Amino acid sequence: MSECEFKVSEDRKNDARDTFALFDKKGNGVAVKDLCTVFKSLGLAVKSELLEEWADEADEEGTGMIIFDNFLPLYVKKLKMDEDEKELREAFRVLDKDKRGCIDVEDLRWILKSLGDDLTESEIEDMITETDTDMSGTVDYEEFSNLMNSK
C-alpha cells in the first residue's frame, strides 16, 4: 500500500486531535518526553528508538515541544506502519500452509519468481541466502518481514 493510497478517517484524525489536546494543556504543544504516552492513549505502541527519531523530525525548532500539526503526520505514519505489519502477517499466515511458523525456502523461491519483478535466478538465490540467515531451509516471520521490508 503506497503512502497516497493510505487514508485516515476524519474520526481517527479527530480522536488524535482530542487526545493530543489532553496533553497540550497550555496550547503550545506536547513535550517530546510525553509523545509515548500520547501514542499509548491512542492505542498505539511505538518503539523508543523510533519515537526519538520521530521527535527529532517533529521538533523542528528544538524546543522540546511538538505541535499537533507536526504530530499528525507521525500518527498517520504509525497507523500505516501498523496496517502494513498486519497485511504482512496475514500474507505470512497464508504462505505458512502447514501452520508451522515458517515458510519453506522452495515456496519462497516460487513466490519471488511469481512476483513479476523479472528477478534472475541469481538474484532470487541471493535474496534467499540473505533471508534464510540461519540456513534452516525455512524462513520464519522475522526473516520474511526483513525480506519484504528491504525493497
Side-chain angles (χ1 to χ4, degrees):
M1 175 177 306
S2 73
E3 291 287 341
C4 60
E5 292 175 17
F6 188 76
K7 300 282 187 229
V8 177
S9 71
E10 285 304 313
D11 284 346
R12 294 212 64 183
K13 288 179 185 176
N14 289 334
D15 286 346
R17 185 175 288 107
D18 293 345
T19 301
F20 189 89
L22 293 173
F23 294 90
D24 185 9
K25 294 179 180 29
K26 295 181 182 175
N28 62 342
V30 170
V32 167
K33 66 179 179 57
D34 294 330
L35 265 186
C36 182
T37 308
V38 176
F39 275 107
K40 281 182 183 175
S41 296
L42 289 162
L44 301 170
V46 182
K47 292 181 181 174
S48 58
E49 313 83 54
L50 184 57
L51 206 51
E52 286 177 30
E53 182 183 314
W54 286 358
D56 287 344
E57 290 174 22
D59 183 14
E60 296 170 339
E61 307 296 319
T63 63
M65 303 297 283
I66 297 175
I67 60 172
F68 181 74
D69 287 346
N70 291 349
F71 172 78
L72 185 59
L74 302 180
Y75 174 68
V76 171
K77 188 185 297 189
K78 178 59 179 157
L79 290 176
K80 182 181 181 327
M81 287 172 66
D82 286 358
E83 183 64 26
D84 289 348
E85 175 74 13
K86 181 178 159 191
E87 289 176 3
L88 194 58
R89 285 196 181 278
E90 178 61 19
F92 183 82
R93 189 190 65 72
V94 168
L95 297 170
D96 179 16
K97 297 178 219 123
D98 300 327
K99 310 285 185 250
R100 298 179 303 150
C102 58
I103 303 169
D104 286 329
V105 167
E106 290 309 312
D107 290 341
L108 182 61
R109 183 175 279 111
W110 178 83
I111 291 163
L112 291 171
K113 285 180 183 177
S114 302
L115 285 177
D117 286 345
D118 294 327
L119 297 170
T120 67
E121 288 293 327
S122 175
E123 289 170 328
I124 290 173
E125 201 54 47
D126 288 346
M127 289 174 82
I128 288 174
T129 301
E130 289 175 25
T131 302
D132 184 16
T133 55
D134 59 4
M135 307 290 283
S136 63
T138 60
V139 173
D140 62 23
Y141 177 76
E142 186 174 331
E143 292 169 326
F144 179 74
S145 176
N146 290 339
L147 171 67
M148 299 310 285
N149 288 320
S150 68
K151 288 188 169 190

